[in-house]
Amino acid sequence: MTRKERFYATIERRKVDHPASWLGLPVPEACEGLFNYFGVDSMVELKRILGDDVFPVDVPYHHPPVNHIACAFDFAQQDNSDYEHRTLTSTGIFADCSDLGAVADFAWPDPAENMDIGECAQAVQSVPEDYAVLAMMWSAHFQDACAAFGMEAAMMKMLTEPEMFRAVIDRITEFYLKANRIFYETAAGHLDAVLIGNDLGSQTALMLSPELIREFVFPGTKRLVDQAKSYGLKVIHHSCGAVADIISDLIAIGVDAIHPIQVLANGMAPELLQERFGGNISFCGGVDVQEMLVHESPREVKRQVGKLKELFPTGLIISPSHEAVLPDVKPENLKAMFETVNSD
């Protein structure tokens, strides 16, 4: 099978030669060690040596100082230029606001002013041939709404001033719908899938009740999923943490795959997910990056990945259980992971 054929067959839970796989997104601090270990000079070479199937593409977005679509909003009351140390607990511009008019008066960014169509086209057209192209749209409307108030204030607004919270998250959702439309139309014919989502789980449980997620988060999620589907794209929904209690909701919304299966979080063991949801949705992830890829031996990695292949002969894009591969992940363990995925 080609890479693209393997990706589609895996995500559609059809028979495959072996499951599709994805390296994820090594952070810049990890790339030097990976390049040295594998004797390569670029991410393209690294992916070819490993033999994964998915090529992620970031959305070109220009909003200094960070120039990343996930940092498009100037919500913090203090300086928010330090991308690496930003936090949702910082006090947001709407923390003490109860005036719906202030939401309308806020200087909401226009994505069209910060996206170059030619640059968007180049981003997808430069992907090496045969990879499944995954647009990293994120569209984290809930996380941005939390930043708009500050995490604690946002949670309180949902309960005490729901219309205020809804007004903010709806404006954020509209921003992403417009930004995504620009990218999808520019990249037409070159995209296969999109990754969107919000972190809704901690290590032990959801961060808020399923009922609140259904009321305040999933209406926007459905609009984002429906939009991507209207362009013929597969949708991978990201959330770290223990999110098993809302997977049925994501199935109903139309999500194709859940990312990243944080296997050490409560209720997220691959065996449990296959038992509860196998046949109804696919997954992406599953190879523990909290402990195994950092501390275990390549032999143990091969054993665990072999178990994943037995459990999910299809329906699982095998990948580290977080998209960001950090410097503490052993290169030899990534090698073992991909050798096992690609073996007969």
Side-chain angles (χ1 to χ4, degrees), residues 4-5 9 14 40 44 49 59 94 119 124 142-144 163 166 179 184 263 269 279 281 301 305 333 335 340:
K4 194 181 292 280
E5 290 171 342
R14 294 186 279 109
V40 300
V44 171
I49 282 180
V59 180
F94 294 113
E119 194 175 358
V124 291
F142 170 67
Q143 288 177 217
D144 284 332
E163 290 307 313
R166 194 173 287 112
Y184 295 159
V263 297
I281 197 166
V301 171
V305 174
N333 281 346
K335 179 181 178 182
T340 309

Side-chain angles (χ1 to χ4, degrees), residues 279-328:
N280 294 314
I281 197 166
S282 297
F283 296 91
C284 177
V287 182
D288 172 44
V289 77
Q290 290 181 271
E291 296 290 341
M292 185 173 66
L293 288 179
V294 176
H295 300 298
E296 293 288 355
S297 67
R299 180 177 179 180
E300 178 61 17
V301 171
K302 288 186 175 185
R303 189 180 75 83
Q304 292 292 340
V305 174
K307 288 176 62 178
L308 282 176
K309 289 178 67 175
E310 292 178 6
L311 187 63
F312 290 94
T314 188
L316 171 64
I317 301 166
I318 296 178
S319 182
S321 65
H322 193 281
E323 79 285 349
V325 176
L326 302 178
D328 58 357

